[in-house]
Amino acid sequence: MSFSKEVKEELSRQMTPARHCQIAEIAAIISFCGNVCISSHDRYSIKIHTEKLSVARKCFTLVKKTFNIYTEISIRQNAYLKKSKTYTIFIKRHEDALRILQATKLLDEKHNVEENLSIVDNVVIMQSCCKRAFIRGAFLAAGSISTPQKFYHFEIVCQSMEKAKQLQGIIQTFNIDAKIVVRKKYYVVYIKEGSGIVEILNVMEAHVALMNLENVRILKEMRNFVNRQVNCETANLNKTISAAVKQIEDIRYIEENAGLSSLPENLEEIARVRLENSQASLKELGTMLSPPVGKSGVNHRLRKLSEIAEKMRQDKEEHELW
């Protein structure tokens, strides 16, 4: 089961006790995946389409619990995709459809189908808990979330820019950074940051999914931390090895062209210690000297050896030119 399906399964089993929140959730579901039908005799009916059984079950339960209305459910098999099914929840009776549309404020005073896209002046989402329910309904109807082991992405698809801006505004009332992108003929409200997705799951009250996502985030952060540490240590090790190789090359050059005994006593000592301990760190080399020398002192002596070797190479090149 995908993570998106897990979240929807959890949300489908959640039933808020407050009727105003139930109405807000139904309003979102009708808005995002429903159609209001008007017959030639001005008779209203509502159809809600979804490919998720859990969403169909939630719609059926919400309508029954909120309005005490029984709905018809039909299932259609996709002829091309054998595993794909479409579930249609049908509120057929005019009186029932009218009650739902009036409660969800999807009808104006003249009984014209019209949705209030305001955030401030909208009785359906006036309270914070109703905003949570609305977002939950929108996600159940038209949302998806990526598997967090791969990447972080949360989105809800809207039919119009006005609807997308309304949803974005509702989400932003919870201090969550939601953005809008146009995808073909749709408008997608999305969240990319892992922390933002954690917050939106908390807003929708998908607490089990939230904990699962947090566990993945912790593992990812630990893995990234370990990788950074390993990369840093590897880089330092490579740097140390490269420096040691260069130091030994310089010492060998001095030995072959002038002899180590030509060096001052302190430089001769460090040169011989380095040749005998090619893999030792500067700190370890310092403990092998008599008397022991600190890391900075060892580094200074090795740098002097490098300068001597470089001077000898330059002198040799100039001599060969003449």
Side-chain angles (χ1 to χ4, degrees):
M1 184 187 296
S2 69
F3 186 64
S4 189
K5 190 173 181 180
E6 286 180 17
V7 175
K8 290 191 176 185
E9 283 285 346
E10 182 182 353
L11 294 178
S12 71
R13 293 190 297 269
Q14 184 187 75
M15 187 62 63
T16 179
R19 188 173 188 272
H20 49 82
C21 292
Q22 294 169 5
I23 290 172
E25 194 164 349
I26 293 171
I29 291 171
I30 295 174
S31 176
F32 282 85
C33 67
N35 290 314
V36 179
C37 307
I38 307 173
S39 72
S40 57
H41 301 290
D42 289 335
R43 307 293 285 179
Y44 291 87
S45 61
I46 302 170
K47 287 183 178 180
I48 299 169
H49 306 280
T50 178
E51 294 180 355
K52 303 296 181 183
L53 176 59
S54 58
V55 178
R57 186 172 61 242
K58 180 68 177 287
C59 291
F60 178 88
T61 308
L62 269 173
V63 172
K64 172 66 175 65
K65 189 174 181 67
T66 311
F67 299 99
N68 197 25
I69 294 172
Y70 287 92
T71 60
E72 296 180 16
I73 299 179
S74 63
I75 304 171
R76 187 175 64 183
Q77 184 85 43
N78 191 307
Y80 299 100
L81 302 172
K82 297 298 181 183
K83 293 183 179 180
S84 179
K85 295 179 181 178
T86 300
Y87 302 89
T88 302
I89 297 89
F90 192 19
I91 297 99
K92 193 173 183 179
R93 288 183 71 243
H94 168 74
E95 292 78 13
D96 293 339
L98 203 59
R99 282 175 59 203
I100 294 171
L101 293 173
Q102 287 173 337
T104 54
K105 305 302 178 186
L106 294 174
L107 286 182
D108 63 16
E109 294 177 354
K110 296 180 180 180
H111 283 195
N112 296 317
V113 178
E114 185 178 351
E115 184 176 1
N116 184 353
L117 295 174
S118 171
I119 300 171
V120 179
D121 185 24
N122 189 335
V123 72
V124 174
I125 53 171
M126 192 65 70
Q127 300 184 58
S128 178
C129 58
C130 294
K131 289 183 175 68
R132 290 174 182 271
F134 190 90
I135 296 169
R136 182 165 59 244
F139 178 76
L140 283 169
S144 64
I145 184 170
S146 64
T147 302
Q149 284 86 349
K150 296 179 180 178
F151 56 94
Y152 301 124
H153 184 80
F154 172 97
E155 70 175 38
I156 297 175
V157 179
C158 306
Q159 297 290 335
S160 67
M161 177 58 82
E162 292 75 17
K163 189 68 191 172
K165 286 183 177 179
Q166 182 199 35
L167 180 61
Q168 181 190 39
I170 295 170
I171 292 173
Q172 287 176 343
T173 62
F174 295 97
N175 296 317
I176 300 171
D177 184 23
K179 294 182 172 63
I180 298 173
V181 65
V182 179
R183 186 185 298 157
K184 295 182 180 179
K185 61 179 181 178
Y186 299 107
Y187 302 86
V188 181
V189 179
Y190 71 94
I191 301 168
K192 276 286 187 187
E193 295 296 325
S195 58
I197 296 174
V198 167
E199 287 298 321
I200 198 70
L201 288 175
N202 185 51
V203 165
M204 296 190 299
E205 299 176 298
H207 301 303
V208 174
L210 187 155
M211 292 304 298
N212 291 338
L213 177 58
E214 283 286 46
N215 288 337
V216 172
R217 287 183 71 208
I218 291 168
L219 287 173
K220 273 189 171 183
E221 288 174 6
M222 287 180 63
R223 192 179 297 117
N224 291 338
F225 175 77
V226 170
N227 286 339
R228 286 194 297 270
Q229 288 291 100
V230 169
N231 291 339
C232 182
E233 289 175 6
T234 301
N236 288 337
L237 182 61
N238 290 337
K239 186 177 178 181
T240 300
I241 291 171
S242 298
V245 169
K246 178 66 168 59
Q247 291 160 5
I248 291 171
E249 286 178 357
D250 290 338
I251 294 168
R252 295 280 188 207
Y253 188 85
I254 296 170
E255 184 179 35
E256 292 170 3
N257 289 274
L260 296 182
S261 57
S262 64
L263 295 169
E265 185 178 344
N266 63 336
L267 297 184
E268 180 183 358
E269 182 185 20
I270 190 63
R272 296 189 185 279
V273 169
R274 170 47 94 191
L275 288 177
E276 293 169 2
N277 302 274
S278 59
Q279 297 183 355
S281 65
L282 297 183
K283 186 176 181 180
E284 291 170 337
L285 291 175
T287 61
M288 299 174 191
L289 300 176
S290 181
V293 176
K295 185 177 175 180
S296 60
V298 172
N299 188 47
H300 174 74
R301 295 184 185 186
L302 289 171
R303 204 162 51 242
K304 290 294 291 182
L305 288 172
S306 178
E307 291 171 1
I308 292 169
E310 193 59 33
K311 181 69 168 56
M312 291 176 65
R313 290 187 183 98
Q314 289 177 0
D315 291 345
K316 185 176 182 181
E317 287 177 6
E318 291 175 359
H319 179 75
E320 288 175 352
L321 285 174
W322 291 105

